[in-house]
Amino acid sequence: MPVTKALLASLLIGLIVFLERLFPFAVFSKKKPGKLFHIFERYIPPVVMIFLLIYSLRGIRFESLILWLPHISAITFTIATYLWKKNSLISIFGGTIIYMILIRVL
C-alpha cells in the first residue's frame, strides 16, 4: 500500500474514532438521560456477558472430565472472585489465567 493511502486511511480511522468518542458527550451533556438509557445501562452488560459465556461454551465436549474441567473451573473461579471482591478485572483476568494454566497442564 502506498504511503499516501496508508496516511489517508489512518487519518480517516482517527477521525471516526474521535467522533465516536465525542458522540456521548455531545448527546448527553445538556440533559438528563431518559428512562430507556437507564434500562440499557442496567440490563445490557449482563445480557452481553451471558451471550459471551454461551458463545465460549458452545464447543465443549463432555466426553471426559479433562475436556471440560478447564472451562468449568475458570467460570467458577470468575464468578466466585466477582462475588467476593466485586472487581471485574480481577475476576476476568484470574479466570483467564486459571483457564490457560489448566489447558496447558491437563
Side-chain angles (χ1 to χ4, degrees):
M1 178 186 293
V3 176
T4 55
K5 283 187 178 181
L7 185 59
L8 184 62
S10 297
L11 288 173
L12 184 61
I13 291 170
L15 178 66
I16 290 170
V17 169
F18 175 75
L19 293 174
E20 183 181 75
R21 292 186 180 195
L22 180 69
F23 179 75
F25 295 106
V27 171
F28 298 117
S29 65
K30 297 185 182 191
K31 60 180 179 177
K32 286 180 67 175
K35 289 183 181 182
L36 184 63
F37 182 77
H38 290 297
I39 291 171
F40 285 154
E41 182 181 45
R42 181 172 180 172
Y43 293 111
I44 292 297
V47 169
V48 169
M49 293 304 287
I50 289 169
F51 279 121
L52 288 172
L53 178 66
I54 291 168
Y55 179 77
S56 67
L57 295 178
R58 76 188 188 289
I60 293 181
R61 295 166 50 204
F62 292 98
E63 296 166 359
S64 70
L65 178 65
I66 293 175
L67 293 175
W68 60 271
L69 185 64
H71 301 284
I72 301 302
S73 299
I75 291 168
T76 304
F77 179 85
T78 303
I79 292 170
T81 53
Y82 181 76
L83 292 175
W84 176 44
K85 289 289 188 180
K86 303 285 190 226
N87 189 329
S88 299
L89 287 177
I90 292 173
S91 301
I92 292 169
F93 284 125
T96 303
I97 291 168
I98 294 290
Y99 176 74
M100 290 300 181
I101 289 171
L102 288 176
I103 63 170
R104 299 288 183 225
V105 172
L106 297 178

